[in-house]
Every structure is written in structure tokens, then in C-alpha cells.
Amino acid sequence: MTNIEYLTSYVNQFVETIKQAGVKHIVMCPGSRSTPLAYGFAKSEDFAFYRQTDERSAAYFALGIAKAAKEPVVLLCTSGTAAANFFPAIVEAFYARVPLLVVTADRPHELREVGAPQAIDQIHLFGKHVKWSVDFPLPEDHAETLNFMERHIHRAVSTSKTLPMGPVHINMPFREPLLLNMEQALPIAEVQVSEIGKLVPSREFTEWYTDMLMREEKGLLIAGDSLHSTEGFWDFARMLKWPVLVDPLSNLRTSVPEDCMDLCIDQYDAILKNDAFKQAALPNVVVRFGAQPVAKPLTLFLKACRPNVYIVADESPIFRDSIHIVTHHVQVEANSLWIPIEEKQASNYLENWSKANDIATKLIQTYIENEEDEGALAGMLFEALPEGVDLFASSSMPIRDVDTFFNKTRKDVQIYANRGTNGIDGVVSSALGVQAATNRPGYLLIGDLAFLHDVNGLIVSRFHETNNTIVIMNNDGGGIFSYLPQSTETNYFEHLFGTPTGLEFSHIAAMYDAQYDAVHTKEAFEQALKQPKTKNIRIIEVFTNRQVNTETHRKLWAAISEELDAIWKV
């Protein structure tokens, strides 16, 4: 058997097993050492195949696909620092629990640690930020090699999909020559099924939990990020009649049933800034599904009140409890606790939360109509979103503006963000990846610095059809820092944290043949949102003022607090 024959058999076995394991998406970066795998995947018609020349952006693009599809995505590159550029997205995937199959081509063993070009130590390159890592054997004329590979691919896919999901790393060394016999048929897979079971609560816990739900009136449900499914949640909440504090990334703030609107509390960030209301809102029991929500006032509220019972449903044994107040960590899938119960009566406790939420909603709506800062403009964008689209929000101010100004709605809008590590890197690519996975129109809300951080992400639009509207809030720097204590040191703040660049993005839009609008007023933004989209990428650059943004946000919170004081302050 010649080198080309057993290399082809090796690659074909890899590709066929990946397909057999149910993987549908391949994101590939060009490079010499990964040639066999690139050709192997490219000749198959069973995958959605994407190219990106920038490895860091490619990794975030794959992350976006996997985040939206909730299934593993192959991420492929050549050897050397190409693999190292995957690292930031892999870290995000690990903490956000997103399944990635990271495949790095490598030099053969005789070219490692001897000064060969494009050869770095790739064994366990990503350390503890992947769930599992394996160094595959070199292709050779040996049946056991193919058997080993087939079963370890299934292990890799199952590991990435096992809750909590996450990235795995497969390192694959190749010797030259690197070409395949493109006519050789794919093999028949031996392993037919690799099944993953479900995590469910014990009978004893379910009995205690059911009894507690039925007898407790002052209870809160908290819905955070990382919910794999929301089906059945509102049926459960409708029976329970507890307030539901809904993080936008739970995707329970959209497609809300009409008879559950009063249960859905979306303005908890604003109303929990008020001390008087917090006293009326103290819960005895909290049940949280998913990650802790974005809003800091909620975290401070829970830390201060320390409820008697705080249950967190989490598929991982890791306690996601940064304030150390959880009393019951239940390692199950969230929906296994959405159990059938007898319908309860609405309580005064629910009425208090609903009334406060309505007050905040009314003032926020007035704010959106009357103000011209980033928050009001973001609110305009959210109201203008049509049915059946996806919204991706950058970290820093955009996700916080989503939390404040994206009001609960019956519209079908899915909301995404990278909140595993809360970074501003790779946001453009992640948004493009989500759109590639869902094939729905995509919207991205992002700041100028985050956009600059991942301008290369737009390269993928030159290789593949896309449908994205990017709204850049250009306040010439890092807007989030204006809300933090370091902003009081006026002598150095602007130089160290404000970091103004003086850049605008019309030339970037022209380079990528994107539709472009420069917006300086609220009226112009309204008109831009109404204009039809004519190109794959549309960029709406909205110029804002960081100082005005900070002042008007604080004015809004003060107005909400004043109305809450009039009702609850003793």
C-alpha cells in the first residue's frame, strides 16, 4: 500500500466518522499541513463548509455556529501559531459551554522540537480549557490505526455534546506528501450509534421540590443564559405564579405567551437599584435555571438577602455561584425541574414585582421616545426588529442596553452574546456564525472598539452568503468605563480607559462592499432602520457621546427610583 493510499484511507475514515457522528458544519482555515483534511471535507457534500483566512476570527465564527445550532462544529487549521490563534474562542467556548471539535494539523514526531518551521508544541496546547485532548497517530498501513481513530472521534463528539457541552481538541500529525486520491470511495462506518443519556432529579428531591413549590408564595424564578431549550417553561411558570426574572440571553424575554406577560419581569436591573422596593421584594426561595444573569443589581440583591432556599439547576458539578449563597445545587438539565403542578393563585408578592416592572417599563418607553443617547437608540433598534430575526449583542454596553431596553415581547427574536468570559474579541465573527447556522436575518449591536477588534471577521462574507445588519455605536472609545470608579480620575482616565481612536468605518464598509449609513441624529437612525437592505452586509454607524450616555442613563435610573419610592418607601 503506497503513502497516498493509506493517507487517503485515513482521511476518508476521519471524514466518514465525523459525518456518522452527526456533525454538519466545518470551518476551515487554509494551510499546508492540513491539506489532506481540507480536501477530505471539501469533496464531501454532506457538510456545510466555510472558509476564513484569519484563525482567530474563524474560531469565533465556528463558536457562533455551534452556539446557535447547539451541536459540535469542526474547526480546522494547519500547524504552528495558526492553532494558537484559536485560543481566545476556545476559552469562551469552554466557559460558555459551546461544543467545538478543534482539529489542528501537526508536524510528524521527527519534526517536533528540532527547529522545523511551523512546528510548536501542540500537545495539550489548550490546557484545561478543553474538555478532552488527544494526539492522533500518524497515518499508516495498519487496520488498528483506523479502528482507534473511529472510536476516538465518537468519543470526542460525545464528550463535546455531553452536558455541560464544550470544546475538545484533536491533534493530527501528517508526513509529506500530503495529497489524496480524490477518487477513492469513503469507507463504511463500523460504529453506528453513540448515545448520550439524560440527567434527571431523584424521586426524593422531586417530592421535596414539588411540596416546596406548592406551599411557598414568596418565590422567584431566575432564567439565565445557557438554557438548551425553553420548551415547556411557560407552562410551568403559568401554574406556579412566581415572578420570573428573565435575562435576555435566556430567550424567554421573547415569544412570551400573552397570559404570561405579568409573570415576566424584564426590568429587574432598574427596579433592584431602589432600596425601598428591594425590601418589599425579599424572597424566601429562589430557583435559578442557567447562568447568573448579566445584571449586577440582581447579584447584589441576592447576596444581601441570602434567601433561605436557593436552588440552582445545572448540568455540571461546577457550582456557578460566585457569591456563595446557593443552598441546593441540583445536577440536572433545567427542563427536568419544569414539573407539572396544580395551578396556584397569584400572590401579593407577584403583584409587587409586576407593578414595579410596569413602572420601569413605562419610564423606559418614555426615555426611548424622548432621549437621544445610546440607550434610547438601542431601544429604537429593538422595537424596529422584525419577526423571525436574531440579535447578537457585544459585551460591555451593548449587552447592558439589551438588558435595560429590550422589553419583553411576543415577537420571535433570538438573542445571543458571548458571556462565557465577557470579552469584546471575536464579536463580529460570532454574529456572522450565528446567522450562518440559523439562516435568519442577523442583527449585531456593537461598540466601536469591539468592532475594531474583529474587523477581520468580515472576511468570511467574501466567501459565503450572509445576511447581517451591523449597528455600531461609535462613542469614540470604551463607553463602559465611564460607569466605573476609574472614571473619577480625570487626569488619566481618557488616556488609559477612554482610549479614543478618532476612527469612523465608511472605508471599512467600502472595502467589503457593504451597504453603509452614517447616523448623527435620532431621526436619521429611524430613517436608516426603515430603508431596505440591499447588500449581504449592512453597516449603520451611529455617532454618540459617552458623557451624555452616562448622564442620561443615570437620570433614567433616578426617575425610576423616585416613582418606586413613592409607593414603597416608608
Side-chain angles (χ1 to χ4, degrees):
M1 201 175 198
T2 65
N3 177 79
I4 192 171
E5 289 173 328
Y6 62 72
L7 175 60
T8 302
S9 295
Y10 184 92
V11 169
N12 283 350
Q13 186 75 59
F14 184 87
V15 171
E16 179 64 17
T17 307
I18 288 287
K19 182 184 76 173
Q20 176 71 23
V23 177
K24 302 181 183 69
H25 301 273
I26 312 295
V27 177
M28 167 260 182
C29 298
S32 178
R33 193 58 51 165
S34 55
T35 295
L37 292 173
Y39 279 144
F41 282 121
K43 74 174 185 176
S44 173
E45 297 180 357
D46 297 303
F47 302 101
F49 189 75
Y50 305 94
R51 293 163 293 154
Q52 169 59 285
T53 58
D54 182 303
E55 283 83 9
R56 187 180 72 170
S57 293
Y60 277 105
F61 181 74
L63 176 85
I65 295 174
K67 183 187 287 284
K70 295 182 172 62
E71 59 186 36
V73 172
V74 167
L75 175 62
L76 171 64
C77 75
T78 189
S79 63
T81 55
N85 278 288
F86 284 168
F87 209 167
I90 289 170
V91 173
E92 172 64 26
F94 181 78
Y95 285 104
R97 303 180 177 181
V98 177
L100 290 178
L101 297 175
V102 183
V103 181
T104 55
D106 200 355
R107 263 35 184 180
H109 299 73
E110 67 269 17
L111 293 183
R112 297 175 181 176
E113 302 296 330
V114 293
Q118 272 189 271
I120 66 173
D121 185 358
Q122 295 180 198
I123 310 302
H124 299 293
L125 177 62
F126 306 112
K128 294 182 178 180
H129 293 98
V130 291
K131 295 180 67 179
W132 183 59
S133 181
V134 59
D135 186 31
F136 269 15
L138 282 156
E140 58 182 348
D141 185 12
H142 211 289
E144 280 76 5
T145 298
L146 299 184
N147 292 334
F148 170 90
M149 180 175 64
E150 182 179 19
R151 283 149 181 83
H152 276 66
I153 291 169
H154 277 287
R155 177 181 174 183
V157 174
S158 293
T159 300
S160 72
K161 291 166 59 177
T162 298
L163 301 178
M165 295 193 289
V168 299
H169 175 211
I170 301 174
N171 193 60
M172 300 187 68
F174 294 105
R175 286 195 184 99
E176 295 178 340
L178 301 170
L179 294 178
L180 304 178
N181 175 4
M182 301 296 281
E183 304 303 319
Q184 184 174 315
L186 292 173
I188 298 174
E190 289 188 15
V191 178
Q192 297 296 315
V193 175
S194 181
E195 181 70 21
I196 301 173
K198 300 288 186 181
L199 286 170
V200 297
S202 67
R203 180 179 57 83
E204 292 80 7
F205 175 82
T206 302
E207 290 176 354
W208 172 84
Y209 175 68
T210 303
D211 179 66
M212 182 272 299
L213 294 178
M214 292 304 299
R215 58 183 163 79
E216 183 58 62
E217 290 190 356
K218 297 183 69 175
L220 286 179
L221 297 180
I222 297 177
D225 192 5
S226 304
L227 293 177
H228 301 295
S229 171
T230 58
E231 185 177 356
F233 177 82
W234 286 117
D235 294 333
F236 168 65
R238 186 184 288 112
M239 298 295 105
L240 184 59
K241 299 290 194 299
W242 285 3
V244 186
L245 278 55
V246 181
D247 185 283
L249 298 180
S250 70
N251 282 310
L252 286 166
R253 199 179 284 192
T254 59
S255 301
V256 183
E258 184 63 36
D259 63 343
C260 292
M261 280 289 192
D262 286 343
L263 302 177
C264 183
I265 308 299
D266 56 348
Q267 301 301 338
Y268 53 86
D269 177 78
I271 61 182
L272 288 178
K273 289 181 171 71
N274 178 265
D275 290 336
F277 174 73
K278 284 191 289 188
Q279 289 303 309
L282 294 173
N284 294 328
V285 175
V286 173
V287 183
R288 192 187 86 208
F289 307 105
Q292 177 67 22
V294 171
K296 189 173 182 179
L298 174 59
T299 299
L300 296 175
F301 171 68
L302 294 172
K303 185 176 182 179
C305 71
R306 302 188 72 89
N308 298 329
V309 174
Y310 189 167
I311 301 169
V312 169
D314 198 315
E315 65 269 13
S316 171
I318 298 172
F319 276 55
R320 288 196 287 190
D321 177 28
S322 61
I323 53 178
H324 314 299
I325 64 171
V326 169
T327 61
H328 296 69
H329 180 275
V330 189
Q331 192 179 344
V332 295
E333 295 182 42
N335 59 9
S336 68
L337 294 189
W338 304 341
I339 59 175
I341 59 173
E342 294 180 17
E343 185 168 3
K344 298 171 64 176
Q345 296 295 315
S347 65
N348 290 334
Y349 185 70
L350 171 61
E351 185 181 346
N352 281 340
W353 276 96
S354 184
K355 182 187 295 185
N357 197 75
D358 288 345
I359 289 170
T361 300
K362 179 192 68 175
L363 290 172
I364 285 170
Q365 190 59 46
T366 301
Y367 181 94
I368 293 171
E369 293 170 1
N370 296 333
E371 297 293 344
E372 298 196 12
D373 75 324
E374 281 183 22
L377 294 167
M380 286 177 59
L381 168 65
F382 306 148
E383 290 178 354
L385 291 176
E387 184 85 15
V389 302
D390 299 318
L391 171 67
F392 203 102
S394 178
S395 292
S396 295
M397 283 310 298
I399 188 59
R400 287 169 173 81
D401 282 338
V402 170
D403 202 17
T404 300
F405 297 103
F406 194 107
N407 293 325
K408 55 191 175 185
T409 178
R410 299 187 68 185
K411 284 195 297 188
D412 171 21
V413 177
Q414 295 290 295
I415 304 174
Y416 300 89
N418 288 339
R419 299 302 289 176
T421 56
N422 302 350
I424 64 166
D425 43 348
V427 176
V428 174
S429 297
S430 297
L432 294 176
V434 166
Q435 197 281 321
T438 66
N439 203 31
R440 290 160 35 122
Y443 286 77
L444 168 61
L445 179 63
I446 192 169
D448 52 301
L449 292 185
F451 183 75
L452 282 169
H453 213 291
D454 193 31
V455 165
N456 277 5
L458 294 174
I459 294 171
V460 80
S461 70
R462 307 305 296 167
F463 303 132
H464 309 287
E465 290 291 323
T466 187
N467 182 2
N468 279 273
T469 297
I470 302 174
V471 177
I472 306 170
M473 294 293 182
N474 190 342
N475 56 31
D476 197 22
I480 188 67
F481 295 110
S482 298
Y483 295 85
L484 302 179
Q486 52 262 53
S487 63
T488 59
E489 181 50 72
T490 55
N491 290 334
Y492 302 101
F493 171 76
E494 194 67 1
H495 174 64
L496 296 176
F497 296 99
T499 57
T501 64
L503 295 174
E504 53 89 23
F505 301 111
S506 60
H507 297 291
I508 295 292
M511 184 168 73
Y512 286 100
D513 190 30
Q515 183 179 346
Y516 176 80
D517 292 283
V519 171
H520 295 270
T521 66
K522 193 172 184 179
E523 291 73 24
F525 187 47
E526 183 177 18
Q527 288 302 312
L529 291 173
K530 290 179 179 179
Q531 290 177 9
K533 186 171 176 290
T534 59
K535 296 189 176 182
N536 287 348
I537 296 288
R538 182 182 186 189
I539 295 174
I540 303 175
E541 185 172 9
V542 185
F543 295 90
T544 66
N545 183 290
R546 274 186 277 133
Q547 184 61 37
V548 171
N549 293 337
T550 307
E551 292 171 356
T552 51
H553 272 71
R554 288 173 175 163
K555 184 171 70 173
L556 170 64
W557 297 329
I560 293 171
S561 190
E562 183 178 348
E563 288 220 17
L564 296 178
D565 276 343
I567 298 174
W568 280 285
K569 192 170 185 179
V570 178

